[in-house]
Amino acid sequence: MKRKNFITLCWISLATSVFFFFVLTEEKTLENFMLTILISFMYSFVLGIGNGMLNDFLNKKFPWSEATTKRAIISIISILIANFILVYFCNYMNFVIFQKDATTEEYFSGKYNYINWFTINIALLISAFLHARGFMEELKKTSKKEVVEQKLIAKSANAQFESLKNQLDPHFLFNSLNVLSSLIDENPKQAQKFTASMSKIYRYVLEQKDKELVTVEDELEFAKTYCDLLKTRFEDSVDFIFDVKKEDFRRFVVPLSLQLLLENCIKHNFATSSKPLLIRIFSENDTLCIENNLQVREQIKESSGIGLSNIVQRYALLTKRNVFIEKSEDYFKVKLPILSAKPNVGSEIMEDKDKAYERAQKRVKEIKSFYGNLISYCIIIPFLIIINLITNPDHIWFFYPMLGWGIGVIAHGMNVFAIGKNWEEKKIREILEKRNKL
């Protein structure tokens, strides 16, 4: 037990003992005062520590954040049973052992049922407060943890995206210089032409490298220019076919993706005049496809895999749609998702966080409403019992509001924790799935 909680219980015990001694005790003697303190400390510590230990145990076994519905049901059942036992024990010690107002037979005969029920309601009030406080504390911890995790994810995603984009400059330059180096020996005039074209292409690389997405039309224009450079080097050994639907031109793809995939085609396949390498670029089912006939070249050095992995990872940071790779004995094909709009990674994360926060806020309001209803029940019903017993003890009427309101509290709890929106959403999903099958 924490020192802070122990001190709190001591102050509560002293305050209640002083109140009962000076207000309700007729014989104000030192002996009665000490007895009142003893009884107050017994009730405070037995009920307080008992409910506190129960709450701590449930927090460890059934955390609110991991099993809210299960925890709520177990909490309701366990606090009812635990407080019933604790209250009967405290009242037995008070009336039978300390004050000696009744025998054991009289106590369990039903003579103290009203007092026991009143005390149980007070104990339930204490327990409801402890569980509500525990829920709010865990909710705060979970919320803070989620906010920190989302910030780390956002920072990691941005850093990863920048790292991936920074790979493009050296990767493109390295491959282009390799092509230029080969042309200088084979055809110096073509090398000069290639250098001029390469500067034009590199300007496009510098312009687009900081963008998350570019239009399909811009990427195709760049790819055609790059294919002209490849034709300059390989001549009749390489052929290119472009067959992209015009309606896809204003949609978006990852920048420089075609250039990287074209490099891969050349790098991993041999091409000769007798066996030319045919590369097709076409659109199919919301994807931009790059397909080549398979003429695998023997690799002296293992490929680093920067090109294709770069594209896959950049798409993963921007959309849930995947890059698909198909390979057979005759061809190799890569399918790039064509996106209808430019997604914003930061805004998507913030939007998801806002929606999650709204759902969490709504959930907290529902749970707070239930605990407010439960606490009100635990406070008002005991007062109704006292009023009934004082004003008209021969006619017991407090059972009616106690039973009616109690059923309402149970129904409220079932709606919030057991059935509620989860049941509704489940049924909606089942109906929609049946309709989709039809």
Side-chain angles (χ1 to χ4, degrees):
M1 185 179 182
K2 294 181 180 179
R3 184 170 177 270
K4 182 180 178 182
N5 295 335
F6 178 81
I7 295 173
T8 302
L9 286 175
C10 287
W11 280 110
I12 292 172
S13 301
L14 286 173
T16 54
S17 60
V18 169
F19 172 79
F20 279 105
F21 179 75
F22 286 103
V23 176
L24 301 177
T25 305
E26 295 180 359
E27 297 182 9
K28 295 179 176 57
T29 62
L30 180 62
E31 182 181 353
N32 286 340
F33 181 67
M34 296 304 295
L35 181 61
T36 305
I37 291 177
L38 177 62
I39 293 171
S40 296
F41 268 80
M42 179 192 67
Y43 276 101
S44 298
F45 277 84
V46 171
L47 295 178
I49 294 175
N51 281 286
M53 291 176 64
L54 175 63
N55 187 46
D56 292 339
F57 174 77
L58 293 177
N59 283 338
K60 291 179 181 178
K61 293 293 182 179
F62 310 100
W64 283 107
S65 58
E66 296 179 7
T68 306
T69 303
K70 187 177 182 180
R71 167 63 190 275
I73 295 171
I74 293 174
S75 294
I76 292 171
I77 296 171
S78 59
I79 63 176
L80 286 172
I81 296 173
N83 283 288
F84 181 86
I85 296 171
L86 292 174
V87 165
Y88 264 79
F89 170 77
C90 288
N91 284 341
Y92 178 83
M93 295 294 295
N94 180 17
F95 297 111
V96 178
I97 305 299
F98 295 139
Q99 298 192 44
K100 295 181 172 52
D101 289 341
T103 63
T104 302
E105 292 77 12
E106 289 176 341
Y107 179 76
F108 288 105
S109 66
K111 181 179 178 181
Y112 290 89
N113 282 350
Y114 293 135
I115 296 175
N116 288 334
W117 180 250
F118 173 76
T119 314
I120 286 172
N121 277 274
I122 298 298
L124 289 175
L125 172 63
I126 297 170
S127 185
F129 171 77
L130 290 172
H131 282 77
R133 189 183 68 172
F135 169 77
M136 295 305 295
E137 287 178 352
E138 188 162 345
L139 180 66
K140 287 180 181 178
K141 290 180 183 178
T142 304
S143 299
K144 287 180 181 178
K145 184 179 178 181
E146 288 180 353
V147 169
V148 171
E149 287 178 352
Q150 289 294 339
K151 286 181 179 179
L152 290 174
I153 290 170
K155 288 181 180 179
S156 176
N158 289 331
Q160 188 179 1
F161 193 79
E162 290 301 320
S163 175
L164 288 170
K165 289 193 295 184
N166 290 336
Q167 289 178 2
L168 295 176
D169 285 346
H171 187 253
F172 172 77
L173 184 61
F174 176 78
N175 284 281
S176 299
L177 289 176
N178 277 343
V179 175
L180 181 60
S181 177
S182 300
L183 281 175
I184 289 172
D185 294 331
E186 297 174 5
N187 194 332
K189 290 183 179 180
Q190 290 290 354
Q192 291 178 356
K193 185 178 178 181
F194 183 90
T195 304
S197 298
M198 193 180 81
S199 64
K200 181 180 177 181
I201 290 175
Y202 201 79
R203 187 181 300 113
Y204 175 85
V205 173
L206 294 175
E207 289 173 354
Q208 305 298 335
K209 72 163 189 167
D210 292 327
K211 296 181 180 179
E212 294 175 356
L213 294 171
V214 295
T215 62
V216 173
E217 185 177 15
D218 289 343
E219 188 69 7
L220 284 175
E221 289 300 319
F222 169 72
K224 288 177 181 177
T225 305
Y226 186 71
C227 288
D228 290 339
L229 290 183
L230 295 176
K231 282 291 277 184
T232 300
R233 178 186 174 188
F234 293 99
E235 298 179 345
D236 296 334
S237 299
V238 180
D239 287 322
F240 302 95
I241 299 175
F242 288 86
D243 187 19
V244 179
K245 299 174 185 177
K246 289 187 177 181
E247 54 263 32
D248 292 328
F249 278 17
R250 304 313 302 168
R251 299 172 74 186
F252 301 93
V253 291
V254 167
L256 305 176
S257 53
L258 289 182
Q259 181 260 332
L260 289 171
L261 293 175
L262 288 169
E263 282 183 6
N264 276 355
C265 292
I266 300 298
K267 182 179 179 181
H268 297 291
N269 295 275
F270 69 85
T272 62
S273 299
S274 59
K275 288 186 176 182
L277 181 66
L278 179 62
I279 302 174
R280 292 180 60 226
I281 301 172
F282 59 97
S283 54
E284 179 184 79
N285 298 328
D286 288 334
T287 61
L288 185 63
C289 303
I290 298 88
E291 179 183 298
N292 64 275
N293 55 323
L294 209 58
Q295 300 180 160
V296 180
R297 175 187 298 178
E298 291 184 7
Q299 299 290 332
I300 299 174
K301 184 179 179 181
E302 188 177 350
S303 173
S304 61
I306 289 177
L308 188 55
S309 64
N310 182 288
I311 296 170
V312 171
Q313 291 179 66
R314 280 194 291 157
Y315 265 107
L317 292 171
L318 293 170
T319 179
K320 293 180 180 179
R321 296 176 60 188
N322 296 320
V323 175
F324 288 99
I325 301 170
E326 294 181 10
K327 185 177 181 180
S328 70
E329 295 180 356
D330 302 322
Y331 71 90
F332 183 85
K333 182 194 292 187
V334 178
K335 295 182 177 181
L336 303 177
I338 301 177
L339 307 179
S340 300
K342 286 187 177 182
N344 188 307
V345 178
S347 64
E348 282 187 353
I349 291 173
M350 290 304 297
E351 186 178 351
D352 290 341
K353 285 172 65 179
D354 289 340
K355 289 180 179 178
Y357 178 77
E358 288 177 5
R359 290 194 297 270
Q361 194 175 37
K362 185 178 179 182
R363 181 67 176 162
V364 169
K365 286 181 179 179
E366 291 177 351
I367 295 173
K368 285 173 68 177
S369 173
F370 166 72
Y371 276 115
N373 192 7
L374 179 61
I375 291 171
S376 300
Y377 177 83
C378 295
I379 294 174
I380 295 174
I381 292 299
F383 280 105
L384 293 179
I385 295 173
I386 294 172
I387 292 170
N388 183 190
L389 296 178
I390 292 174
T391 57
N392 191 3
D394 296 330
H395 178 63
I396 304 300
W397 51 262
F398 69 83
F399 278 110
Y400 301 107
M402 182 179 70
L403 182 61
W405 195 356
I407 294 172
V409 170
I410 294 172
H412 192 179
M414 291 295 291
N415 183 56
V416 172
F417 296 110
I419 303 175
K421 299 298 179 184
N422 292 333
W423 179 82
E424 292 177 8
E425 291 174 359
K426 185 178 179 181
K427 296 304 293 183
I428 290 170
R429 284 197 299 268
E430 287 179 1
I431 293 170
L432 290 175
E433 287 175 1
K434 287 180 181 178
R435 288 185 179 179
N436 290 334
K437 289 178 180 179
L438 295 174

